[in-house]
Amino acid sequence: MKSHLIPLLVVASLVVAGCADGSSNNRKAAATCEGTQVQPERLFLQQLGSNSVVIKWRGNADSGAEADSVCFGTDMAALPAESQTEATVTATGHSEVLLSGLEPATTYYYSVGGAGTADAAHSFRTAPAAGELPEDGNTRIWIVGDSGVGGTGKPEAGFVRDGFTTFARNNGDEPADLFLMLGDNAYDQGTDLEHQRAIFDVYPEILASTPLWPTIGNHEMGTFGISVDTSPDDYAVIGSGSNGGPDPAPDSPMPYLNIFTLPTDGEIGGLASGTEQYYSFDYANVHIVSLDSQLAIRDTDSRAAMLQWLKDDLSANALDWTIVIFHHPPYTKGSHDSDIELAGIDQPIFAIREEFTPVFEQYGVDLAYAGHSHIYERSYYLNGHTGLSDTFDPATMAELNDAGAPSSGQGAEAYTQIARNGTDDKVVYTVAGNGGKLSGTSQGYPHPAHFLSQLQLGSVVIDLDAERLEASFVDVNGAVLDSFVITR
Ligand SMILES: [Fe+2]
Ligand SMILES: [Fe+2]
């Protein structure tokens, strides 16, 4: 043992000397941070890229002072003093830091409050360099929809979370690289307090190490989800605030936009959208788009602008895989019915189906995920189904197997990105609004464009590399109830 220890110590001291400031007699280690780690009430990562990340937090779970800085580094035992980064505080009391100049595909540890050490729970791994795969070759994406039940006596979202954790442990022991939310993230009215109960209190460990990328649902606009307004300034809470009331000090009246720090300028790849309401980003070899099917889509001019941005964004994208998320599903017979325009509230279902699905299909999107219906519904590999459910013609609108029936995407019927007709023009549409509650089915259930419809709690996991993508529906026990494969 002794003969091993001595050379190690010599090496360590040489490394320290090599890192010193250049004076030959300086043999001290670089100074480390000297603050105190704080456990915020909410702590989450935003906009993780190859070279940067945003860390955002609010509150102190121990009732002490708010943290005002972050220290970070690659050695959890010694976060260097020069890494200390002061937070910016928003009007709603959120603190955030942008850490930039990071190395790609590198694990960093951080301390909110600026302590000199950190633990594995407070770490993140930067994205691979643009277009490259992660070191292990696999990108894992976790998607939950309509998960925002939160609060006392509402454990279902936690069950779904635990199902994913079990799946992840049993399948490569690999956590998620990305965490996507499909809207209705905080029932009933998307208040700040509801976001606390439904997001920050439910997924604290995941949020401390995995970037969250959300989209806007109808409940993010208050009014128990019945708003048809087109501006975030029209956010309104009905009643006396029994669900937490409006934000105490909003910098915009919509808590979703106060809380999340989303790209507007193509910060993490993709084309600048100019608004946090919809955006895109890249991770490794996958391009992900989050559309606003609640606000922008209801106004003629805003919808046209978003659609044009989507075309331009997808035209500029050359990555292997493309995934789009939004809240209102084009094909559903769950708790919402894509054949019925419910008093204008569900008009976005029609707008998505009639105006957006043709763009997805023409511009190479592979997968589209929505929520809103509290159910799991997964389509065939589709093209051109823009009408009501009774217009669905599998012979012309779905990829077919050798027997002339719609392909399942499973086993020998795995989909290929370049379909039988020689073009990348097909999309699998999934409704995954089953992340926190189930709410029955509509007349005509199941929708004929779906391969599988299942009224069961769960979430979606996507595993992808350069050649193969597998999407799995994972239940609360970590069991896979549906999966399909697309190969390139
Ligand atoms: Fe919902
Ligand atoms: Fe919804």
Side-chain angles (χ1 to χ4, degrees):
M1 289 307 288
K2 207 173 184 180
S3 63
H4 280 99
L5 271 174
I6 290 167
L8 274 175
L9 286 170
V10 170
V11 169
S13 71
L14 283 174
V15 169
V16 169
C19 290
D21 63 2
S23 65
S24 58
N25 57 358
N26 183 351
R27 292 182 178 274
K28 280 188 174 175
T32 55
C33 283
E34 294 179 340
T36 302
Q37 174 152 336
V38 170
Q39 184 62 57
E41 284 158 1
R42 60 178 63 172
L43 169 63
F44 55 113
L45 305 182
Q46 299 276 270
Q47 296 194 44
L48 180 133
S50 305
N51 305 110
S52 62
V53 70
V54 170
I55 302 176
K56 199 162 181 179
W57 69 89
R58 195 177 72 184
N60 181 331
D62 300 321
S63 306
E66 189 95 9
D68 62 4
S69 69
V70 164
C71 286
F72 67 99
T74 53
D75 177 0
M76 71 163 83
L79 307 182
E82 65 264 28
S83 75
Q84 190 141 18
T85 308
E86 287 210 12
T88 302
V89 181
T90 73
T92 48
H94 292 90
S95 298
E96 67 180 349
V97 294
L98 168 65
L99 308 183
S100 55
L102 307 178
E103 292 294 321
T106 301
T107 299
Y108 287 88
Y109 302 88
Y110 66 93
S111 170
V112 175
T117 62
D119 51 35
H122 296 88
S123 66
F124 58 87
R125 188 163 177 82
T126 48
E132 291 186 10
L133 298 183
E135 217 164 61
D136 64 3
N138 191 61
T139 294
R140 175 162 285 173
I141 303 170
W142 185 39
I143 305 178
V144 300
D146 301 71
S147 55
V149 290
T152 312
K154 297 285 186 185
E156 292 87 354
F159 297 160
V160 171
R161 172 203 63 208
D162 294 345
F164 165 72
T165 304
T166 301
F167 170 91
R169 194 169 54 235
N170 294 342
N171 289 271
D173 196 18
E174 185 180 349
D177 296 300
L178 306 172
F179 182 13
L180 276 46
M181 277 189 184
L182 300 176
D184 290 1
N185 311 318
Y187 291 109
D188 286 313
Q189 306 203 61
T191 66
D192 185 276
L193 181 61
E194 286 167 346
H195 279 80
Q196 181 68 38
R197 289 175 177 165
I199 300 177
F200 303 108
D201 293 348
V202 176
Y203 313 100
E205 291 87 3
I206 293 169
L207 294 170
S209 57
T210 311
L212 173 60
W213 297 95
T215 197
I216 302 173
N218 49 312
H219 285 266
E220 270 67 44
M221 274 299 281
T223 66
F224 290 89
I226 63 164
S227 171
V228 293
D229 287 319
T230 59
S231 164
D233 294 338
D234 295 325
Y235 172 82
V237 170
I238 293 176
S240 58
S242 59
N243 292 287
D247 257 354
D251 53 11
S252 144
M254 189 182 181
Y256 172 97
L257 293 176
N258 297 336
I259 292 166
F260 298 115
T261 300
L262 302 169
T264 60
D265 200 25
E267 288 90 337
I268 311 298
L271 193 69
S273 67
T275 172
E276 287 184 288
Q277 291 172 228
Y278 54 88
Y279 58 87
S280 66
F281 68 97
D282 297 334
Y283 182 93
N285 60 335
V286 59
H287 181 65
I288 298 179
V289 181
S290 175
L291 295 176
D292 170 14
S293 68
Q294 172 59 23
L295 294 163
I297 206 168
R298 295 181 193 274
D299 174 78
T300 308
D301 292 342
S302 302
R303 181 168 71 244
M306 179 164 68
L307 194 58
Q308 187 59 50
W309 169 81
L310 176 68
K311 291 176 184 173
D312 294 342
D313 175 77
L314 294 176
S315 298
N317 167 40
L319 295 181
D320 295 341
W321 303 104
T322 305
I323 300 171
V324 179
I325 66 171
F326 47 88
H327 186 64
H328 298 74
Y331 316 113
T332 183
K333 287 287 183 180
S335 49
H336 294 264
D337 185 339
S338 55
D339 290 341
I340 295 178
E341 194 186 319
L342 182 68
I345 295 167
D346 276 350
Q347 197 282 330
I349 285 176
F350 288 71
I352 287 281
R353 189 174 60 234
E354 293 168 0
E355 297 181 41
F356 285 75
T357 65
V359 174
F360 302 158
E361 292 158 8
Q362 186 182 343
Y363 289 80
V365 170
D366 300 299
L367 306 173
Y369 286 90
H372 200 42
S373 270
H374 305 145
I375 189 170
Y376 177 83
E377 299 169 291
R378 193 269 286 181
S379 81
Y380 298 111
Y381 207 21
L382 300 184
N383 174 287
H385 181 34
T386 56
L388 301 182
S389 62
D390 62 4
T391 68
F392 179 64
D393 177 9
T396 58
M397 297 172 183
E399 183 79 355
L400 303 178
N401 61 22
D402 292 336
S407 293
S408 65
Q410 300 176 339
E413 293 186 13
Y415 303 133
T416 53
Q417 193 176 61
I418 305 301
R420 285 188 178 204
N421 65 3
T423 59
D424 177 6
D425 68 346
K426 289 189 169 59
V427 176
V428 177
Y429 296 89
T430 301
V431 181
N434 56 339
K437 60 177 170 180
L438 302 173
S439 307
T441 59
S442 300
Q443 187 173 9
Y445 173 86
H447 195 291
H450 288 306
F451 165 73
L452 181 70
S453 302
Q454 205 154 348
L455 197 58
Q456 201 144 343
L457 288 173
S459 60
V460 166
V461 179
I462 299 173
D463 284 304
L464 63 87
D465 61 23
E467 301 296 331
R468 184 178 188 276
L469 176 156
E470 181 161 15
S472 305
F473 165 28
V474 176
D475 76 1
V476 295
N477 299 311
V480 175
L481 304 188
D482 177 38
S483 69
F484 63 90
V485 169
I486 306 178
T487 58
R488 294 185 70 244

